[in-house]
């Protein structure tokens, strides 16, 4: 028996219902290629294979690789499961033949690299078509619900006014997002300190930015500067960020929003419009 290693964020999922919900959200068709990050002892891998997926798994821990090789010997021999021992963040996924839109990422990821995983795959030239990820509940809420993502008594809020943040916008610029389900800490062994949640990122592409005629560099630059100081208006943050005051005012006027608006109030579409106007020659 191998012990869970904290350094690798090892919390093994043992909840069958949660596993089934992940598979359902994955909308797997038989033969489809699924990249699983951190298969661990293979709880999710087993379900992915059961759904008929062709699984490519990247696991950093050699002890887990040993377990996986034993557990899935016949699937490995049949070519249904390919396991790579590697750090997913150091891996060039094109070496596995994974190209733009040709695969999905379905994983219970190590939480300490959630942000890096999102960035790596969403901003990649070889994006997956869909991602279904088990992440910390608070992070899931920040992505899907925005700034104040349900805080009270563990319930998700039903606010009508969405407030975005840098993380939610960075994900929504590339994908449609959905909160699938909450997964309590007790569903894992060992149990982490906080609850988790499954999120689904679908329709992943560069088109949202491309259609607006802006680069991802411009997008991230303006969004980061716009959110630089939470208490300041968007206008003041952008002015301090070096943008021309006349251009900012004209871009905000075009959006038909109050000039004293704060960054979190704008929707993704409004950001795209604003950035396009700011860079208009
Ligand atoms: N998928 C398993 C499950 O659901 O029970 C294990 C999930 S556990 C939260 C995260 C897994 O990711 C561990 O097996 C850990 O060794 C692996 N891992 C951690 N950092 C990694 C990295 N940089 N690249 C690849 N795998 C990593």
């Amino acid at each position: 028996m191998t012990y869970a290693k904290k350094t690798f964020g090892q919390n093994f999922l043992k909840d069958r219902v949660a596993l089934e919900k992940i598979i359902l959200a994955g909308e797997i068709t038989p033969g489809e290629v699924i990249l699983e990050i951190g298969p661990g002892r293979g709880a999710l891998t087993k379900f992915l294979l059961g759904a008929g997926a062709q699984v490519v798994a990247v696991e950093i821990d050699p002890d887990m690789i040993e377990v996986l090789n034993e557990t899935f010997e016949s699937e490995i021999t049949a070519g249904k499961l390919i396991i790579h021992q590697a750090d997913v963040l150091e891996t060039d996924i094109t070496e596995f033949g994974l190209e733009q839109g040709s695969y999905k990422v379905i994983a219970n990821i190590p939480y300490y690299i959630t942000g890096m995983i999102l960035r790596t795959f969403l901003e990649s030239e070889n994006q997956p078509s869909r991602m279904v990820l088990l992440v910390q509940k608070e992070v899931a809420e920040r992505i899907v619900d925005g700034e104040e993502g349900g805080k009270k008594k563990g319930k998700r809020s039903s606010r009508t006014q969405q407030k975005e943040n840098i993380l939610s916008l960075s994900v929504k610029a590339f994908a449609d997002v959905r909160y699938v389900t909450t997964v309590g800490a007790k569903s894992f062994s060992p149990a982490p300190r906080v609850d988790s949640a499954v999120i689904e990122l679908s329709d992943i592409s560069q088109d949202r930015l491309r259609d607006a005629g802006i680069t991802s560099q411009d997008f991230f630059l303006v969004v980061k500067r716009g959110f630089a100081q939470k208490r300041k208006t968007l206008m003041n943050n952008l002015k301090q960020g070096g943008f021309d005051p006349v251009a900012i005012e004209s871009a905000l006027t075009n959006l038909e929003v109050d000039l004293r608006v704060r960054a979190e109030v704008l929707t993704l579409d409004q950001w795209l419009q604003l950035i396009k106007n700011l860079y208009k020659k």
Side-chain angles (χ1 to χ4, degrees):
M1 184 68 169
T2 48
Y3 292 98
K5 298 188 185 96
K6 267 194 184 166
T7 40
F8 289 142
Q10 291 177 352
N11 297 99
F12 302 108
L13 187 55
K14 56 176 186 179
D15 178 341
R16 190 183 176 87
V17 175
L19 285 160
E20 281 167 355
K21 285 185 181 169
I22 293 173
I23 297 299
L24 212 61
E27 295 187 355
I28 300 166
T29 49
E32 191 166 42
V33 178
I34 306 294
L35 173 65
E36 186 188 0
I37 300 163
R41 294 176 185 149
L44 179 58
T45 320
K46 191 170 153 213
F47 277 71
L48 292 169
L49 290 166
Q54 169 75 40
V55 182
V56 177
V58 182
E59 171 59 59
I60 200 167
D61 183 356
D63 289 342
M64 292 299 140
I65 302 277
E66 230 173 85
V67 175
L68 292 163
N69 282 339
E70 221 171 272
T71 313
F72 297 104
E73 198 185 341
S74 61
E75 287 85 352
I76 294 169
T77 310
K80 289 181 184 155
L81 171 63
I82 299 169
I83 304 171
H84 298 275
Q85 192 209 325
D87 177 342
V88 70
L89 299 176
E90 301 287 324
T91 302
D92 174 6
I93 55 155
T94 54
E95 281 175 18
F96 307 155
L98 303 178
E99 286 172 4
Q100 175 72 19
S102 71
Y103 70 102
K104 294 173 179 170
V105 175
I106 303 183
N108 171 16
I109 56 175
Y111 296 160
Y112 70 104
I113 49 171
T114 301
M116 291 295 286
I117 288 176
L118 286 169
R119 205 174 315 153
T120 302
F121 285 93
L122 291 177
E123 294 172 38
S124 160
E125 279 176 18
N126 294 292
Q127 297 166 309
S129 59
R130 172 182 287 257
M131 296 176 86
V132 179
L133 303 174
L134 194 47
V135 299
Q136 272 185 32
K137 182 166 180 268
E138 195 197 324
V139 175
E141 289 173 340
R142 278 181 63 73
I143 293 171
V144 179
D145 298 338
E147 187 56 35
E148 292 170 8
K151 280 177 186 160
K152 289 187 187 136
K153 294 178 189 162
K155 288 214 178 91
R156 298 179 59 228
S157 68
S158 54
R159 284 172 301 102
T160 45
Q161 174 66 58
Q162 178 95 6
K163 284 188 178 176
E164 302 294 353
N165 54 62
I166 297 179
L167 177 63
S168 66
L169 288 165
S170 310
V171 175
K172 288 172 188 175
F174 298 101
D176 294 343
V177 302
R178 184 169 78 90
Y179 187 101
V180 178
T181 192
T182 302
V183 183
K186 284 186 191 144
S187 300
F188 300 86
S189 170
R193 278 201 305 272
V194 292
D195 287 340
S196 302
V198 179
I199 53 169
E200 173 196 295
L201 314 184
S202 60
D203 200 11
I204 297 173
S205 80
Q206 312 279 357
D207 290 352
R208 294 166 188 81
L209 293 181
R210 198 175 294 144
D211 291 350
I214 60 179
T215 65
S216 59
Q217 286 90 331
D218 291 344
F219 175 77
F220 287 113
L221 183 95
V222 178
V223 169
K224 277 181 192 151
R225 301 221 168 141
F227 276 95
Q229 294 200 49
K230 210 173 170 336
R231 285 159 173 266
K232 289 198 168 163
T233 62
L234 174 58
M235 167 99 94
N236 280 339
N237 274 335
L238 291 179
K239 271 188 201 163
Q240 275 203 331
F243 289 94
D244 172 24
V246 179
I248 304 167
E249 194 167 331
S250 136
L252 286 172
T253 309
N254 260 331
L255 287 184
E256 297 180 4
V257 294
D258 190 320
L259 291 180
R260 291 159 306 171
V261 79
R262 285 185 205 282
E264 73 249 24
V265 173
L266 297 198
T267 63
L268 173 69
D269 284 344
Q270 288 175 317
W271 277 103
L272 296 178
Q273 187 82 38
L274 173 85
I275 296 164
K276 192 175 169 183
N277 284 332
L278 273 181
Y279 285 100
K280 205 162 56 186
K281 296 278 175 318

